[in-house]
Every structure is written in structure tokens, then in C-alpha cells.
Amino acid sequence: MLRDSILQTRESINYKAGTEPEKFGIVVIGRNEGQRLITCLRSVSAAAAMVYVDSNSTDGSVQAARELGADVVELDLSIPFTAARARNAGFAHLLTIVPEVLYVQFVDGDCELASGWLEAAVGFLDHQADAAAVCGRLRERHPDRSVYNWLCDREWDRSTGEVRAFAGNVMIRTAALKAAGGYHDDVIAGEEEELSVRLRQAKWRLWRLADEMALHDAAMFHFGQWWRRTCRGGYAFALGSHLHGTSPERHHVREARRAIVWGLLLPFACIIATIALPRFGWMAWLLYPMQLARLTAKNSGSLSDRTRLACFQLLARFPEGLGIAMFWRDRLLHRRPQLIEHKQVPTNRNA
């Protein structure tokens, strides 16, 4: 069934001489993306309606977007910014331009859509009437510039076919998004997966095609950026399991428990054991190299790639655990969640 669907999508792509701009609109979100935003907007210029949602950029993003023909929505920063809120604002504005639009392609401002993706996505949704959303292969633009970029590229390499969740870059059926009520504005991390859960609960299906979808420019060059991004992932695990962790969904329950055990409970237990029973305590730390060996054996690729990936997978449990602790701190103290950002802010539009 999956294979047939993908083949039929590609037939549709080959058959069409071009896109049907009236069928879909584009919503791009961003803040201080500089040249990356310009590249992004140029890659989606085939759309009849293009909305850019800006969150207080200081690098000329708003002016650049207008010059490239986008309708610009500037968010009111008196209300806490989230990517979910930006996408909702962009979608609402898009509907004022083309009320009957069938599909909306969401794009992050640090991404460049691949040539042919829009045709592929539209063709698939036209053919697969029960599909709410479709995404494709995302690749990192410069995986060789840092190990952190390389990790992103590995993260984007996911299985194709029917999937349980999509990420930020996705084409969604307008009717399904309206029925779901859009993204949850106050979800600061993992908002795409949270929406995916609700769409699946409404009996919609989600797909990832093998087609090239976009290039992403993570621009991560420092350990601190990776740490904050991974910490946000932990926050998303805690939030996701809090919202949809009950059976049968069990959303992010496994990921949250894994981070709690390896990133919080086990190191605490090892420290206590090392203080109370030094001989036993030092042996307890050996659980980490054992886990490293297990992850290395489980990963794919060359030995050096498998080992490097396993090191970061194991190390990630600590910032993930911290993110989970931050979520529960916010819950217990009734604090408003704050974005956990990892990007460096360029100082001008050519940065």
C-alpha cells in the first residue's frame, strides 16, 4: 500500500507540468534568520500566497520578506512567542488571502524547499484523501562543518511511509488543520508532534515520502548550542507525555523515562553510592560505558560514525533530563514556560 502510494505520487509529479498555486499557500516563520530567510523565501516563490511571520527580528527580515513579495505578520511580543503561535498566526492570515486554499506548506525560515517538493506534496494529498499531512526528506545543508550539524543530518534521516509525527516543515490539509484547531499556542517545544497526535486521534493519517523536501541550516558550531537544543527536546518529552502520555498513545513516555533514568536518577545514585560505598560506587559508573557499547553496536554506519553518534546519544540524556526538570519546575511553580533557544542571532540581514 505504501509503495503503491509513493509510486503514484511520483507519477503525479511527472505528469504535472507545474504546481497549482491556488491549491496551496506557504507560511514561513522565523526570527533573525538573515540570508537563510531570503534563500527560504526564494525557494517558495511559486506559491500564489506566501505569508512570513516574524517574531521581532532585528536583522531586516521583515523588509527582506516584503521585498520578496511575502505578506508579513509581525507578532505582538507582549504575548510570549512560540513557533506554534507563529504558525497559527500565519495560517489565519493565509486564509484571509485565499480562503478556499486546500493545503498549507509550513516552512521554517532556516530551510530551503527542494525543487519539486511542492508538486510532490500536492500530488500526494490529492491522491491520498485520508492523509492530513505529508513531509519528505530533510537534509542538513552543511553536515561537514561541525559535529552538531552532522548530528542534525542524522536526526533528519528518518523512515518513510506512514508515520506517527511530522516536524516543522510539512504540508497539511487545511480542513484537517481547521478541525484540529491548529497548533497549541502555548506549547513551547514539540508542538508539531503534539498536533500529530491530535490529527491521528481524529483518524487522519500522516506520511513521510522519500522525495527530497528541504535543506536545513542548523548553523550549530558550539557545544552550548547543542546542549540547549537537546534540553528543549527533554522539555518536549515531558510536555508531550504530560499531555498525551496515557494509553494507548503513550506519547513520549519512553523518551521521558529514558532521560530520567540515565540523566537524573542513575548519576544521582552513582554519586551517592560512590560516597557511601566507594568500591561499589565506582563500579556503578561502568553502566555508562556498557550503554555506550550497546548504542554503538545498535547504530548504523562506519565504526567511527556509530561511536560518535553513540557518545552524543548517551550524553544527550543529561540535557534531556534537565529539560524534564525545567518542565516540572514550571508546572509546580506555575511559571510561564520560556523558549529554550539555541541559535546565535546575526547582527544584519547578510549575516
Side-chain angles (χ1 to χ4, degrees), residues 47-62:
M50 179 171 62
V51 177
Y52 169 62
V53 184
D54 187 85
S55 303
N56 200 32
S57 290
T58 57
D59 65 344
S61 289
V62 169

Side-chain angles (χ1 to χ4, degrees), residues 147 150-151 296 303-313:
V147 66
W150 176 80
L151 288 168
T296 300
L303 178 60
S304 61
D305 282 353
R306 285 187 284 135
T307 304
R308 181 166 55 166
L309 180 59
C311 287
F312 278 95
Q313 286 173 325

Side-chain angles (χ1 to χ4, degrees), residues 12 43 63 91 124 199 226 257 270 292 317 332:
S12 177
S43 74
Q63 180 184 351
F91 180 56
F124 184 85
L199 288 171
W226 174 83
R257 286 180 176 175
C270 287
L292 180 64
R317 303 301 169 245
L332 293 173

Side-chain angles (χ1 to χ4, degrees), residues 120-351:
V122 169
F124 184 85
L125 291 177
D126 280 351
H127 170 75
Q128 197 78 31
D130 61 353
V134 62
C135 56
R137 178 69 164 95
L138 181 65
R139 294 186 190 275
E140 189 56 35
R141 182 183 292 276
H142 301 297
D144 54 337
R145 287 191 177 177
S146 74
V147 66
Y148 313 111
N149 286 357
W150 176 80
L151 288 168
C152 284
D153 197 59
R154 292 289 298 241
E155 181 182 329
W156 309 144
D157 188 10
R158 300 177 180 179
S159 61
T160 58
E162 187 170 2
V163 294
R164 296 182 62 80
F166 50 77
N169 298 286
V170 62
M171 182 174 282
I172 304 181
R173 193 180 299 275
T174 300
L177 187 57
K178 283 182 179 178
Y183 295 84
H184 278 173
D185 279 352
D186 55 352
V187 173
I188 68 165
E191 68 280 357
E192 310 95 340
E193 294 178 326
E194 194 282 329
L195 173 60
S196 298
V197 171
R198 289 186 284 119
L199 288 171
R200 285 190 289 102
Q201 289 175 343
K203 308 303 181 187
W204 288 101
R205 302 170 73 187
L206 316 174
W207 296 82
R208 181 176 296 112
L209 307 182
D211 303 70
E212 297 292 323
M213 178 177 66
L215 286 174
H216 176 266
D217 190 358
M220 285 204 299
F221 303 107
H222 305 292
F223 180 79
Q225 291 176 282
W226 174 83
W227 181 275
R228 289 190 293 275
R229 183 175 184 273
T230 311
C231 185
R232 186 180 64 191
Y235 200 104
F237 294 157
L239 180 55
S241 61
H242 175 72
L243 293 174
H244 303 291
T246 57
S247 296
E249 187 61 42
R250 307 290 289 169
H251 182 53
H252 280 328
V253 170
R254 177 178 173 274
E255 292 84 355
R257 286 180 176 175
R258 182 182 62 191
I260 290 171
V261 169
W262 287 98
L264 296 177
L265 296 182
L266 187 55
F268 179 73
C270 287
I271 291 171
I272 296 299
T274 303
I275 295 172
L277 300 167
R279 181 175 299 177
F280 174 78
W282 286 113
M283 291 178 63
W285 288 104
L286 293 176
L287 288 170
Y288 283 97
M290 292 170 62
Q291 176 69 349
L292 180 64
R294 191 186 75 84
L295 292 172
T296 300
K298 184 179 177 183
N299 290 332
S300 60
S302 66
L303 178 60
S304 61
D305 282 353
R306 285 187 284 135
T307 304
R308 181 166 55 166
L309 180 59
C311 287
F312 278 95
Q313 286 173 325
L314 188 57
L315 184 59
R317 303 301 169 245
F318 298 98
E320 286 173 356
L322 178 60
I324 290 172
M326 292 169 65
F327 169 79
W328 285 109
R329 175 204 61 188
D330 291 345
R331 291 284 303 172
L332 293 173
L333 299 180
H334 303 289
R335 290 178 50 163
R336 174 173 287 176
Q338 300 293 318
L339 280 181
I340 306 170
E341 298 189 89
H342 69 277
K343 290 186 176 179
Q344 294 179 314
V345 178
T347 55
N348 60 67
R349 60 185 287 182
N350 295 318

Side-chain angles (χ1 to χ4, degrees), residues 61-78:
S61 289
V62 169
Q63 180 184 351
R66 288 191 171 121
E67 289 174 356
L68 289 169
D71 276 65
V72 175
V73 175
E74 295 183 70
L75 289 182
D76 177 1
L77 270 294
S78 65

